[in-house]
Amino acid sequence: MSKKKKQATEELVQTQVLNIEEVRRVANYEKKLSKKPAAICAILGIFMILLGGTSQGYISYNQMMLETSTKQKNVAARKVNDNLQSNTTLTCTLAKAANPDGTNFLATFTYKFTNNQLKGIKKELLMDGYNTQGLITIFDQYTIYQNLATLGNTVNGYSITSGPHDNVGFYVTTEIDLTKVDATKVPDIYSTLMYTSVDYKLNTKSEEIKTNYEALGFTCTSASESVNK
């Protein structure tokens, strides 16, 4: 043992001895007055000696518990984030009035995404006639879509509904669940009509659809929300 370490050890022992001697002197003095105060002082003295050794352990324990709690909160936060899905929609609209065939129409196409992967399509067409020629066009178009609705509703994940609108027009709504529909079972005639076609495959990215429709004159807007899995 080096001289410095030996000296430090001797000083520590001497300090502990002096502390104990001090406790004994207080205890002997109090013993003359009362047994209870002497006992209390003795216990207090021992407590003070031990306090220095135990306080650091208490601080370390608290620090450890704090770090553990922080880690648990971080893990819980990561699990919450992992369970969130980003559901978004891309809505593209096109309105045209006073068309040469005597009609007005409004087309609204909504594409539904989960984590930017296409899962569903909803296409809506509202058309009416503003003159005699337009009413004839409306009648012909309405008949076609009614027949398609009957045929399309036999395909799983695909549906078409159609009905009259204000006695001068009609509406058509096509809904496609790409997670269920079998594209090979969708009649070919649907691909010839913009309002009934399955124009994009499952998991297509929204950027591709937006670019294509804006090139056709549509106005496209996005909306998003986060939901639990």
Side-chain angles (χ1 to χ4, degrees):
M1 182 181 295
S2 67
K3 185 177 181 180
K4 289 185 178 180
K5 288 185 178 180
K6 181 177 181 180
Q7 183 178 358
T9 302
E10 290 175 353
E11 289 177 354
L12 179 61
V13 171
Q14 185 177 1
T15 300
Q16 295 295 328
V17 171
L18 289 175
N19 286 338
I20 293 173
E21 288 298 325
E22 183 65 25
V23 171
R24 287 175 179 173
R25 282 198 295 271
V26 172
N28 290 333
Y29 175 75
E30 293 294 340
K31 189 175 181 181
K32 296 178 181 179
L33 300 177
S34 173
K35 291 182 179 181
K36 290 184 179 180
I40 292 173
C41 289
I43 294 172
L44 181 60
I46 295 172
F47 175 76
M48 293 299 292
I49 293 171
L50 296 175
L51 183 61
T54 59
S55 60
Q56 184 60 41
Y58 176 76
I59 293 172
S60 298
Y61 174 78
N62 278 351
Q63 182 66 27
M64 180 186 69
M65 293 301 294
L66 179 62
E67 291 176 355
T68 301
S69 177
T70 301
K71 290 179 180 179
Q72 290 175 343
K73 289 179 180 179
N74 291 338
V75 170
R78 285 196 298 270
K79 287 182 178 179
V80 170
N81 290 332
D82 290 343
N83 287 330
L84 289 179
Q85 290 184 137
S86 177
N87 286 355
T88 59
T89 58
L90 176 69
T91 303
C92 297
T93 60
L94 178 64
K96 284 191 175 183
N99 295 299
D101 61 359
T103 65
N104 307 305
F105 76 85
L106 170 65
T108 304
F109 298 164
T110 303
Y111 294 85
K112 304 174 184 179
F113 303 85
T114 297
N115 297 331
N116 200 33
Q117 295 182 326
L118 183 63
K119 303 300 180 183
I121 303 171
K122 183 177 182 180
K123 296 184 173 184
E124 299 170 278
L125 169 65
L126 183 62
M127 181 179 288
D128 61 44
Y130 64 86
N131 59 24
T132 302
Q133 178 60 42
L135 293 176
I136 294 174
T137 302
I138 291 297
F139 178 80
D140 292 340
Q141 292 288 321
Y142 184 31
T143 302
I144 292 172
Y145 282 109
Q146 280 189 312
N147 292 332
L148 291 177
T150 302
L151 180 62
N153 289 332
T154 62
V155 179
N156 185 39
Y158 188 105
S159 69
I160 300 178
T161 57
S162 181
H165 174 67
D166 291 344
N167 297 320
V168 292
F170 69 94
Y171 72 87
V172 178
T173 301
T174 303
E175 296 189 74
I176 307 162
D177 185 344
L178 293 175
T179 66
K180 296 179 180 179
V181 71
D182 182 350
T184 63
K185 294 182 179 180
V186 177
D188 292 338
I189 190 173
Y190 292 124
S191 63
T192 64
L193 300 171
M194 177 181 289
Y195 309 105
T196 59
S197 63
V198 184
D199 48 359
Y200 292 98
K201 296 180 180 179
L202 180 68
N203 296 333
T204 301
K205 303 298 182 182
S206 62
E207 294 81 8
E208 177 183 345
I209 299 173
K210 184 175 186 292
T211 299
N212 291 342
Y213 272 107
E214 287 182 338
L216 294 174
F218 282 74
T219 299
C220 298
T221 58
S222 299
S224 63
E225 63 175 339
S226 294
V227 297
N228 288 327
K229 288 181 180 178

